[in-house]
Amino acid sequence: MIFISKGEIDVERMISTSCIVDGQQRSNAIVSFVNNEYHIDGRYFKDFSEDEKANFFKYEIPVCELDIKNTDPRLLDIFQRINRTSDSLTGIEKKLLNTVHLISC
């Protein structure tokens, strides 16, 4: 799963930004593989058949948009604790995570 937070919305230019909070390495690895920057089991993406490429792009990656701005200082603390098993989130932080919108890529 990839977690993103809300960014600023420029209404005049009709542009919104989001920030990858957790999943940056996964995202970069996927893009690098598709750009043939490394191989898996000796095969680059360019070596895949058309069916294999289509199946690769059909794979759904869950994206969780948090209902919190990417400038909120709580983000770093929340995700540090999500990635540690010793500390759990508070009820309010769990509520933030439960107010997400799941989007399939």
Side-chain angles (χ1 to χ4, degrees):
M1 181 172 289
I2 296 174
F3 290 89
I4 61 173
S5 62
K6 294 181 177 185
E8 297 300 318
I9 298 174
D10 184 334
V11 178
E12 286 185 24
R13 295 179 13 200
M14 297 189 312
I15 296 173
S16 66
T17 57
S18 295
C19 178
I20 296 177
V21 178
D22 185 51
Q24 181 81 37
Q25 187 174 1
R26 267 167 280 177
S27 299
N28 289 340
I30 292 167
V31 171
S32 294
F33 178 67
V34 170
N35 288 333
N36 299 300
E37 295 174 18
Y38 67 90
H39 61 85
I40 296 176
D41 295 330
R43 295 178 66 204
Y44 288 89
F45 185 74
K46 66 182 179 183
D47 300 326
F48 280 22
S49 69
E50 293 302 312
D51 285 342
E52 289 172 319
K53 288 177 183 177
N55 286 334
F56 181 86
F57 286 120
K58 286 180 190 175
Y59 186 84
E60 293 186 9
I61 301 169
V63 175
C64 191
E65 183 181 32
L66 301 172
D67 191 20
I68 188 169
K69 288 243 183 192
N70 62 15
T71 55
D72 192 312
R74 297 176 295 170
L75 272 179
L76 180 60
D77 182 55
I78 288 170
F79 280 93
Q80 283 177 339
R81 287 190 279 145
I82 284 175
N83 289 311
R84 286 194 311 244
T85 56
S86 60
D87 296 317
S88 61
L89 297 173
T90 67
I92 291 173
E93 292 164 336
K94 286 178 185 175
K95 186 173 176 121
L96 280 173
L97 292 175
N98 287 331
T99 59
V100 298
H101 308 284
L102 290 179
I103 305 164
S104 295
C105 296

